[in-house]
Amino acid sequence: LLYYFKKQRGVGMAGHSHWAQIKRKKAAQDAKRGQLFTKLIKEIIVAVKTGGSGDPDLNPRLRTAIQAARAANMPKENIERAIKKALGQEEGTNYEEAVFEGYGPGGVAFLLKAITDNRRRTVSELRHIFSKHGGSLAEPGAVAWIFEHKGLIVVPKENEEKILEIAIELGAEDTKEYESEIEIITEPSQFEEIKKALEKEGIKIISAKVTMVPKTTVPVNDEATAQSVLRLMETLEDHDDIQQVYVNFDIPESIM
C-alpha cells in the first residue's frame, strides 16, 4: 500500500496546487487592506444565522469561521460584534448566500460561493467580470456537478513516511506530493480524525479545510490562456461578495 501511495503522488492538479501556495502567501496582504476581514465577518454572520446559535461549541460552521478569523489576526471585538449583529443585538446588514457558475478561457469551469446583500447587483457585476476576461456566467447546474466536497489537508514535505502511514491507516482517499508540500485528500467525515492524528504526531498543518475539489480537470497548456484564467480568478476572488472560487484548471508548473 505504501508503494501504491508513493506511485500515486504528484498525479493531478500540479499547477492548481501551486496556485494555492501563491494564494496563501498573498493572504497577509489581503488582511492588511481589510478585504479579508470583511469577508470573514460576512461568513461569521451567516454562520450564526444558518446554524441558529452564536455559540461556537454548538455551531460547527461558526467555530470554523472564528478559527479562520483568528488565523487572520482579526481582533476579538470584531468577531464578537459580528456575532451580535447576526443575533440582532446590533444593527447589521441582511446577507444571503448564493452560488454562481461560469466558464473561463479554455473552457475552465468556475464555481463561486458568495454572500451578498443584493443578489441582482452581484449577478450583474459577475456577468461583467466574466465577459471582460473572456468567459461567461452560466446557468445553475452547468458546472456544479464537476465539483465534490472533500477534506483537503496540506502539510510540509517532511517526515513523508509518517504522513503516508497516517493517511493509509485512517483511510485517506489520496495524497499528492509537490515540490515543498503534500496534500491529503479525505472524505469530509474523515477530515477531523486525520487532521488530529497529524497534529498529535507533531506534523505542522499548513492549511486544512473541507472544500470543493474537481472530479476532472481541464489542461491549460497555452501561456496566454493561463494568464487569462488566473487574471479572471484573481478578479473574482477580489470581489467583495465572493467568499470562495473553485476552478478545475490544470496548468503545468513551468507555465505557472
Side-chain angles (χ1 to χ4, degrees):
L1 277 173
L2 208 58
Y3 174 77
Y4 173 77
F5 261 66
K6 286 181 178 179
K7 292 292 284 184
Q8 290 303 304
R9 288 182 294 173
V11 175
M13 298 155 54
H16 197 159
S17 176
H18 191 64
W19 175 250
Q21 294 175 40
I22 294 169
K23 287 204 307 181
R24 282 193 289 273
K25 291 175 183 176
K26 188 182 156 203
Q29 298 171 352
D30 290 339
K32 285 179 184 177
R33 68 172 182 258
Q35 185 188 51
L36 179 59
F37 279 13
T38 300
K39 294 189 177 188
L40 289 168
I41 286 171
K42 285 183 178 182
E43 174 61 21
I44 290 171
I45 291 172
V46 170
V48 172
K49 291 184 176 181
T50 58
S53 173
D55 184 350
D57 291 332
L58 302 175
N59 188 336
R61 181 172 176 180
L62 175 60
R63 184 165 60 248
T64 300
I66 291 175
Q67 288 171 350
R70 287 174 177 164
N73 296 316
M74 180 183 288
K76 183 179 178 182
E77 54 267 29
N78 291 38
I79 297 172
E80 293 174 347
R81 192 177 305 121
I83 293 173
K84 287 180 180 179
K85 286 180 179 180
L87 294 172
Q89 296 171 4
E90 289 188 12
E91 186 176 346
T93 306
N94 185 29
Y95 293 113
E96 67 168 311
E97 292 185 279
V99 175
F100 301 101
E101 302 170 48
Y103 293 100
V108 173
F110 279 73
L111 182 67
L112 316 175
K113 290 196 173 182
I115 295 178
T116 176
D117 61 348
N118 187 329
R119 188 185 183 97
R120 183 174 296 179
R121 171 185 52 76
T122 302
V123 169
S124 175
E125 290 174 356
L126 292 180
R127 183 173 287 113
H128 174 72
I129 290 171
F130 271 104
S131 176
K132 183 178 178 181
H133 290 84
S136 61
L137 197 62
E139 294 297 318
V143 305
W145 61 272
I146 296 173
F147 300 86
E148 55 187 349
H149 276 102
K150 296 291 179 184
L152 180 61
I153 303 169
V154 183
V155 298
K157 193 177 177 182
E158 303 167 358
N159 203 355
E160 298 169 55
E161 296 293 330
K162 175 58 69 175
I163 291 169
L164 286 177
E165 279 181 26
I166 293 171
I168 294 168
E169 183 178 341
L170 298 181
E173 192 169 286
D174 195 8
T175 63
K176 299 183 189 298
E177 183 178 324
Y178 303 104
E179 186 176 341
S180 60
E181 299 176 349
I182 296 175
E183 288 183 353
I184 302 170
I185 299 172
T186 79
E187 288 295 331
S189 59
Q190 300 170 301
F191 173 74
E192 282 294 338
E193 183 183 8
I194 294 176
K195 177 174 174 286
K196 288 178 181 177
L198 292 167
E199 290 172 334
K200 187 177 179 181
E201 290 293 331
I203 295 169
K204 179 185 175 183
I205 306 292
I206 295 174
S207 70
K209 57 187 175 182
V210 176
T211 184
M212 300 294 285
V213 175
K215 301 174 191 174
T216 60
T217 58
V218 174
V220 180
N221 297 312
D222 174 70
E223 186 171 341
T225 303
Q227 287 179 341
S228 297
V229 169
L230 295 179
R231 195 173 293 117
L232 170 57
M233 188 171 178
E234 277 195 296
T235 304
L236 290 168
E237 287 179 332
D238 286 342
H239 191 283
D240 288 341
D241 294 342
I242 301 300
Q243 298 291 103
Q244 299 290 339
V245 178
Y246 305 106
V247 293
N248 74 333
F249 64 70
D250 184 4
I251 301 174
E253 290 197 52
S254 57
I255 292 180
M256 183 70 75

